[in-house]
């Protein structure tokens, strides 16, 4: 290795070591829980429930979570972050638990008043969430259509 290249690497390594060793330059990261919400409250009749994948609206005031055991997505209003409340639930047809990856929700993401929920071989559910307490499926794109 040429001397100038070796010198540059040594200088970069030294600078990195200095930054890592200087506490004032490192930013402390903390997670401070301010509230929790037992998702079983959204589906009191369900035998089993679990919040798995969580996404937030662009304004950060509503959360959606996938719930594989119940075959649904649930919504939580966090307008007051210290007091989250139920904001709705939508059952997704064709759901089979615990059939990992083939018929369960794999993710969820918002785009305005529309929620996209990919479900393995069941394809993609497009959900109207203008009012999460009354969410409805706009369309289901079959899984095989997504693969072609």
């Amino acid at each position: 290795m040429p001397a100038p290249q070796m010198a540059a690497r040594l200088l970069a390594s030294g600078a990195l070591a200095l930054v890592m060793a200087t506490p004032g330059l490192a930013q402390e990261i903390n997670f401070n829980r301010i509230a929790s919400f037992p998702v079983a409250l959204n589906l009191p009749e369900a035998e089993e429930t679990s919040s798995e994948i969580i996404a937030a609206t662009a304004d950060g005031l509503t959360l959606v979570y996938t719930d594989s055991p119940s075959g649904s997505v649930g919504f939580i209003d966090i307008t007051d972050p210290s007091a989250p409340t139920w904001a709705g639930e939508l059952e997704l047809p064709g759901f089979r638990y615990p059939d990992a990856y083939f018929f369960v929700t794999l993710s969820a993401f918002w785009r305005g008043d529309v929620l996209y929920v990919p479900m393995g071989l069941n394809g993609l559910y497009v959900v109207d969430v203008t009012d999460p307490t009354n969410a409805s499926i706009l369309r289901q794109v079959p899984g095989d259509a997504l693969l072609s």
Side-chain angles (χ1 to χ4, degrees), residues 38-77:
V39 296
L41 294 178
N42 270 0
L43 295 169
E45 71 285 351
E47 276 184 43
E48 186 179 356
T49 183
S50 171
S51 62
E52 298 158 325
I53 299 165
I54 299 175
T57 52
D59 63 9
L61 299 178
T62 305
L63 302 175
V64 62
Y65 62 89
T66 63
D67 188 339
S68 290
S70 73
S72 66
V73 290
F75 302 93
I76 301 170
D77 180 342

Side-chain angles (χ1 to χ4, degrees), residues 9-102:
R9 284 189 179 182
L10 285 173
L11 184 60
S13 297
L16 179 61
L18 178 62
V19 168
M20 298 300 285
T22 308
L25 297 177
Q27 187 177 32
E28 188 174 328
I29 298 173
N30 289 318
F31 175 80
N32 297 317
R33 180 181 308 209
I34 58 171
S36 62
F37 183 84
V39 296
L41 294 178
N42 270 0
L43 295 169
E45 71 285 351
E47 276 184 43
E48 186 179 356
T49 183
S50 171
S51 62
E52 298 158 325
I53 299 165
I54 299 175
T57 52
D59 63 9
L61 299 178
T62 305
L63 302 175
V64 62
Y65 62 89
T66 63
D67 188 339
S68 290
S70 73
S72 66
V73 290
F75 302 93
I76 301 170
D77 180 342
I78 58 169
T79 304
D80 176 358
S82 64
T85 58
W86 178 85
E89 177 267 331
L90 177 66
E91 206 170 300
L92 299 169
F95 189 89
R96 288 203 311 253
Y97 176 79
D99 195 350
Y101 301 113
F102 293 112

